[in-house]
């Protein structure tokens, strides 16, 4: 009888050890999987969610996450769409726990410059919020052209169409200075 109890105890310890080892391996693999998740994949997993975007410079944008690219995201507010470069963000609130990889190699290559070129092509009236500045530092206008790491903004009065005689000035904005771009809803950014 003592031998049976001893063997049962040893079997139970071995089984518990195997379960603990398996749980430890699962936890380690889970940590490794989480470490491989990129921010843009995590944002794509939250498309359609109401999120908060807190810029490093202080302003906060809240809306429905409608696009997550390789370098920037777009949220839909009630009357506007806001394009925000990832580099301008201090932190996010409201993200889900899922991650979705971008399946298209073409879309993976489209960066901030591609989105800005689309806005320039559409002659979209927008407001540029500069990063690292007071929230009052906003430039209204239309993007005239986009370079490798900058864009030219033809500054106009809000609501005025971009015409040669109505351009007050042209601001050249380096990408690293861009906090956000806000445009009226109605078209895709």
């Amino acid at each position: 009888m003592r031998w049976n109890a001893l063997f049962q105890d040893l079997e139970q310890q071995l089984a518990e050890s195997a379960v603990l080892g398996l749980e430890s391996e699962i936890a380690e693999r889970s940590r490794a999987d989480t470490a491989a998740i990129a921010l843009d994949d995590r944002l794509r997993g939250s498309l359609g969610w109401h999120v908060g975007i807190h810029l490093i410079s202080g302003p906060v944008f809240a809306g429905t996450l409608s696009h997550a690219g390789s370098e920037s995201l777009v949220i839909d507010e009630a009357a506007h769409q806001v394009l925000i470069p990832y580099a301008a963000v201090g932190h996010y609130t409201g993200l889900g726990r899922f991650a979705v990889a971008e399946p298209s190699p073409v879309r993976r290559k489209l960066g901030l410059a591609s989105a800005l070129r689309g806005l320039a092509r559409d002659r979209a009236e927008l407001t540029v919020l500069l990063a690292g500045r007071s929230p009052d530092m906003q430039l209204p206008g239309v993007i005239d052209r986009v370079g490798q790491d900058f864009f030219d903004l033809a500054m106009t009065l809000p609501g005025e169409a971009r015409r040669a005689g109505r351009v007050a000035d042209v601001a050249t904005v380096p990408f690293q200075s861009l906090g956000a771009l806000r445009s009226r809803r109605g078209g895709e950014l």
Side-chain angles (χ1 to χ4, degrees):
M1 287 276 190
R2 284 181 66 181
W3 290 107
N4 285 342
L6 177 65
F7 288 129
Q8 283 179 340
D9 185 49
L10 289 173
E11 286 176 10
Q12 188 176 13
Q13 287 178 15
L14 187 60
E16 287 174 3
S17 174
V19 168
L20 288 175
L22 180 60
E23 288 175 353
S24 175
E25 183 178 340
I26 290 171
E28 183 58 34
R29 285 186 184 188
S30 177
R31 283 189 290 274
D33 288 346
T34 300
I37 295 172
L39 177 60
D40 57 339
D41 293 341
R42 176 90 184 275
L43 288 164
R44 266 189 293 283
S46 298
L47 289 174
W49 289 48
H50 186 81
V51 297
I53 313 295
H54 302 255
L55 300 188
I56 294 168
S57 58
V60 177
F61 295 95
T64 303
L65 183 60
S66 62
H67 175 77
S70 63
E71 297 176 339
S72 61
L73 60 89
V74 175
I75 61 167
D76 295 340
E77 297 176 324
H80 297 94
Q81 287 189 303
V82 184
L83 182 139
I84 303 170
Y86 297 147
V89 178
H91 71 279
Y92 302 87
T93 56
L95 295 184
R97 296 184 55 85
F98 299 106
V100 176
E102 175 57 66
S104 168
V106 173
R107 287 186 66 148
R108 277 195 296 267
K109 292 179 183 178
L110 296 177
L112 180 59
S114 299
L116 296 175
R117 284 186 187 96
L119 290 168
R121 179 197 65 230
D122 295 344
R123 309 304 285 166
E125 292 181 32
L126 45 87
T127 301
V128 174
L129 175 72
L130 297 177
R133 306 287 194 270
S134 72
D136 298 339
M137 190 56 174
Q138 298 181 14
L139 307 173
V142 174
I143 297 175
D144 268 348
R145 62 187 192 149
V146 180
Q148 180 178 356
D149 57 357
F150 72 94
F151 65 94
D152 285 343
L153 181 74
M155 294 169 43
T156 60
L157 295 175
E160 284 199 18
R162 196 260 186 248
R163 302 278 183 258
R166 294 191 176 161
V167 173
D169 205 351
V170 175
T172 299
V173 181
F175 286 177
Q176 76 255 15
S177 295
L178 178 60
L181 286 171
R182 177 181 268 153
S183 65
R184 289 230 169 260
R185 286 187 72 171
E188 289 295 317
L189 269 182

